[in-house]
Amino acid sequence: MTQLKDLQTDDNSYNEALPNICDIVKHSATSCCSTKTPKKYLPILEWLPKYESSFLLQDIVAGLTVGLTTIPQAIAYGTVAGLTPQYGLYSAFMGCFVYIIFGTCKDVTVGPTAIMSLMVQTHVTASADYAILVCFLSGAVTLLMGILDLGALVQFISIPVTTGFTNAAAITIASGQINSLFGIKSPTNQFLPSWRIFFTNLNKMQRNDAILGVSTLFILLLMRKIKDIPCRYKILTKYIAMSRNALAVIIGIILCYYLSDSESLAFRVSGEIVSGLPPFRLPPFHTQVNGTEVEFSEMIQQLGASIITIPIISVLESIAVAKAFSMGKIVNASQEMVALGIANIMGSFVSSMPVTGSFTRTAINNASGVKTTLGGVITGVLVLLALAFFTQIFYYIPKATLAAIIMAAMIFMVECDRIAEIWRAKKLDAILFFITLLTCLFWTLEYGIACGIVLNMLFILYKSARPNIIITTERVENVDIAVVDVQKNLSYASAEYLKTRIMKHIIAHEHAIKKVVIKGDEIFGIDSTVALNILALKTDLNAMNCQLLCWNWQISSAGVVCRLHRDARDLFKFSKTLKEIILLDISPQSLTTIHNGIESTLIPL
């Protein structure tokens, strides 16, 4: 009763609580004109003035180390995407340069990744222009999400869904390289078709490619463990392990060059890479396929759901990488969206495919002791030098070598430990994981993660619609009472469920129950749907000679019911025990106090 009385108020208190609109405008104008605003969207203005000369050497070493991994990976991922290798290099250098200005995490390296390449691959069979256009569109969507401060949206996608997606992507990408590893020609990189082609074309396996591919894969896996070998030159083994991809490419090039003759090559190669810097031009808003002009609207139809799914996946991947290496710092998800969006938009002007944060290269960056995002400049310069001077050498990179590099990376993307953790923690989450995994594998990645997200939302809605409600029957002074304990907040989805449970309980006891008491200690807020169902329940129970009482409800929840119907004030009782409700007569003075308390909640909002 004290709580109810304390909540008495009038319309003037609401008017006093309303903020002055002039103060809001003034505060917004002051915030926009302050020095914090450009620093918020341009993090380089925050760290560059504080840059120390001692950071430079470590940033250069880290940039070079990451660059030696970026170049072979960019070439490989360009191939995975169904494009010529230079598209991967274009993506790598633009991602590096843009992120140093707009990025917030010093360790993150933005560029082409295996997942992005696979998602693009299904759309570029007709023309590479589709990859560039989806890069621009996904960048625009991501940038808009960042500007609108929608970073919190990524929290609505659960770990079982993302784990199922990343595992499916890793398995699909590795499966797509199985034919290249053994020198078998394959027109597809998809999961089932790749294995079907492999097993039906074993007689077309190339001996040289198979030997090179399998041995390279084996050596790469061994080199990953070199850093764990105890020795005096720990720093040397560490950098050898981190540079394993570059070493594999160099050895592959040397073998291909010296074992080939003027008539034929010793291995299947990736083909020529266009040398020089990429041309700076507008993204292709129309294209030609087999001599036929394709308009922008038709290209959009061809890209379909990928315009939304690719930005979502790129944001998830990039923010997950940033959080993994944030070292306790809070990751500004919205600013990461801005950085990623601008990187993709700018990349589309230099013929880039979609980019995002790379876990592998970020881990190398972190292990190399990078101090600021300036290390990305060194990586970007190294990629530009490769484009300008080494493209003729890259012609001799064997496809088997690139396939081994990709498969070695994908093996460690399959999170077996995480799968076991999800299974031990909750079996329902494991079901969600397996459904996402299988849908991604046997349908497409876009629709697979969409199915996972929708299914996850359905699980949440179902839990909301089925709160934990415990109904017990107690006998107080020869009166049978049904005590309803709602152990979760009520929402519109659970309104009908509450009513149905109570009615079934009354019918099961053959109408012997004379009072239904709904405990409201844990009901902190309801909507009009719940309130209407409470009133309907009262009417239905009255027809069965049973009284409904709401015991110790929160005032905010009681007010919603009372605003719908003033006579509903009599439903709410406030006492310490059930016995008081049944036996004690409420004096007129106490009744007036309760009514006045609830009356205060009836003031129009």
Side-chain angles (χ1 to χ4, degrees):
M1 289 189 292
T2 305
Q3 290 177 324
L4 290 169
K5 192 172 182 180
D6 291 342
L7 287 173
Q8 292 184 16
T9 184
D10 53 32
D11 292 333
N12 291 332
S13 64
Y14 282 95
N15 294 331
E16 291 172 3
L18 290 174
N20 191 310
I21 192 168
C22 295
D23 292 338
I24 295 176
V25 173
K26 183 178 178 181
H27 177 71
S28 300
T30 304
S31 299
C32 291
C33 297
S34 68
T35 56
K36 292 182 179 179
T37 301
K39 289 181 179 179
K40 177 183 177 182
Y41 293 104
L42 294 170
I44 191 173
L45 298 178
E46 183 72 32
W47 61 263
L48 190 59
K50 303 174 184 177
Y51 195 86
E52 299 178 14
S53 57
S54 59
F55 294 168
L56 187 59
L57 179 60
Q58 287 177 283
D59 283 344
I60 291 174
V61 171
L64 290 172
T65 306
V66 174
L68 291 174
T69 303
T70 299
I71 292 170
Q73 281 195 343
I75 294 171
Y77 293 150
T79 305
V80 170
L83 303 166
T84 49
Q86 70 265 17
Y87 286 95
L89 293 170
Y90 296 163
S91 306
F93 99 85
M94 182 54 74
C96 290
F97 282 119
V98 171
Y99 192 80
I100 68 165
I101 300 172
F102 299 97
T104 62
C105 183
K106 65 180 180 66
D107 300 292
V108 170
T109 301
V110 170
T113 64
I115 293 176
M116 286 292 100
S117 302
L118 184 61
M119 296 188 73
V120 168
Q121 189 263 340
T122 57
H123 302 290
V124 301
T125 52
S127 171
D129 289 342
Y130 284 95
I132 303 169
L133 179 61
V134 79
C135 180
F136 173 80
L137 295 175
S138 64
V141 171
T142 307
L143 178 60
L144 181 62
M145 291 168 65
I147 292 173
L148 296 177
D149 201 19
L150 300 180
L153 288 179
V154 299
Q155 299 173 2
F156 288 92
I157 303 177
S158 66
I159 288 178
V161 172
T162 55
T163 304
F165 171 81
T166 53
N167 279 273
I171 294 170
T172 303
I173 293 165
S175 300
Q177 298 304 308
I178 190 67
N179 292 294
S180 294
L181 190 74
F182 289 92
I184 300 172
K185 292 183 179 180
S186 174
T188 181
N189 286 326
Q190 297 303 309
F191 175 62
L192 281 179
S194 294
W195 286 106
R196 188 182 300 115
I197 290 171
F198 176 72
F199 285 114
T200 56
N201 292 274
L202 289 174
N203 58 329
K204 298 180 181 178
M205 184 186 301
Q206 302 296 315
R207 184 187 60 186
N208 289 354
D209 292 273
I211 294 172
L212 177 65
V214 173
S215 58
T216 302
L217 177 60
F218 181 72
I219 292 170
L220 285 172
L221 296 177
L222 283 180
M223 289 180 70
R224 188 183 180 93
K225 298 296 182 181
I226 286 180
K227 64 181 186 299
D228 300 326
I229 299 174
C231 67
R232 293 176 57 187
Y233 305 102
K234 192 74 175 176
I235 188 71
L236 180 61
T237 57
K238 170 185 168 183
Y239 281 104
I240 289 176
M242 287 191 292
S243 304
R244 60 187 179 276
N245 290 338
L247 292 173
V249 168
I250 292 170
I251 293 170
I253 290 173
I254 293 172
L255 288 173
C256 186
Y257 182 80
Y258 284 103
L259 295 179
S260 301
D261 52 39
S262 57
E263 296 181 359
S264 62
L265 295 171
F267 309 100
R268 293 179 65 235
V269 296
S270 300
E272 293 186 7
I273 301 176
V274 177
S275 62
L277 300 180
F280 191 85
R281 59 192 176 195
L282 286 173
F285 296 109
H286 59 84
T287 188
Q288 282 191 348
V289 178
N290 298 325
T292 305
E293 188 74 17
V294 181
E295 297 299 327
F296 179 69
S297 58
E298 296 177 73
M299 296 179 74
I300 293 293
Q301 289 178 354
Q302 177 72 23
L303 293 172
S306 63
I307 297 173
I308 301 299
T309 55
I310 287 179
I312 291 174
I313 298 306
S314 66
V315 167
L316 280 174
E317 193 172 359
S318 189
I319 292 177
V321 170
K323 285 183 177 180
F325 295 92
S326 60
M327 301 300 178
K329 296 180 181 178
I330 297 174
V331 175
N332 187 340
S334 296
Q335 180 57 31
E336 286 297 301
M337 287 179 175
V338 170
L340 204 56
I342 294 175
N344 278 289
I345 291 173
M346 293 300 296
S348 67
F349 284 82
V350 292
S351 303
S352 168
M353 54 188 270
V355 297
T356 186
S358 165
F359 190 90
T360 303
R361 299 192 293 275
T362 299
I364 292 173
N365 208 17
N366 175 266
S368 302
V370 70
K371 291 296 183 181
T372 67
T373 54
L374 190 66
V377 174
I378 308 301
T379 301
V381 169
L382 200 62
V383 174
L384 286 177
L385 290 173
L387 277 167
F389 302 109
F390 302 116
T391 52
Q392 289 184 343
I393 297 174
F394 291 156
Y395 172 80
Y396 290 98
I397 300 178
K399 279 190 173 183
T401 299
L402 294 178
I405 290 172
I406 295 169
M407 292 183 75
M410 293 306 102
I411 287 172
F412 294 95
M413 277 186 65
V414 178
E415 302 172 283
C416 296
D417 293 340
R418 179 62 59 83
I419 298 168
E421 288 171 1
I422 293 172
W423 178 262
R424 287 196 304 268
K426 194 171 185 179
K427 301 298 186 290
L428 189 62
D429 286 344
I431 294 172
L432 187 62
F433 161 78
F434 283 113
I435 290 175
T436 305
L437 174 74
L438 296 175
T439 311
C440 288
L441 283 177
F442 296 104
W443 197 1
T444 63
L445 289 177
E446 293 96 331
Y447 292 114
I449 193 168
C451 288
I453 293 170
V454 170
L455 189 62
N456 197 33
M457 293 299 180
L458 290 176
F459 283 176
I460 295 172
L461 286 175
Y462 182 80
K463 290 177 183 177
S464 176
R466 295 293 184 271
N468 190 20
I469 298 174
I470 299 174
I471 303 178
T472 58
T473 302
E474 298 184 19
R475 191 169 182 82
V476 180
E477 296 296 327
N478 296 321
V479 179
D480 289 331
I481 303 173
V483 181
V484 183
D485 188 4
V486 182
Q487 297 183 341
K488 190 176 181 181
N489 213 21
L490 293 173
S491 65
Y492 71 94
S494 57
E496 190 65 32
Y497 177 68
L498 172 65
K499 179 183 173 184
T500 303
R501 283 285 306 275
I502 294 173
M503 295 302 296
K504 285 183 177 180
H505 187 81
I506 299 299
I507 294 171
H509 286 75
E510 299 178 350
H511 307 282
I513 295 174
K514 298 303 178 184
K515 292 183 185 293
V516 173
V517 178
I518 303 177
K519 295 175 65 177
D521 309 72
E522 299 182 38
I523 304 175
F524 295 97
I526 63 173
D527 53 31
S528 58
T529 305
V530 176
L532 287 168
N533 273 271
I534 293 293
L535 295 174
L537 177 62
K538 175 190 175 185
T539 303
D540 292 345
L541 290 175
N542 286 341
M544 301 168 68
N545 295 320
C546 185
Q547 183 184 7
L548 175 65
L549 297 173
C550 297
W551 182 30
N552 289 347
W553 275 45
Q554 300 292 326
I555 302 305
S556 57
S557 301
V560 177
V561 180
C562 294
R563 283 194 290 271
L564 281 175
H565 203 296
R566 288 178 179 270
D567 293 341
R569 292 174 298 176
D570 294 334
L571 286 175
F572 297 95
K573 306 298 179 183
F574 299 87
S575 65
K576 293 183 179 179
T577 64
L578 284 172
K579 193 171 183 179
E580 291 180 13
I581 296 177
I582 305 303
L583 298 179
L584 297 181
D585 293 327
I586 300 178
S587 66
Q589 183 179 0
S590 299
L591 187 60
T592 303
T593 303
I594 292 175
H595 283 187
N596 288 341
I598 296 182
E599 190 72 35
S600 69
T601 67
L602 303 181
I603 296 174
L605 295 179

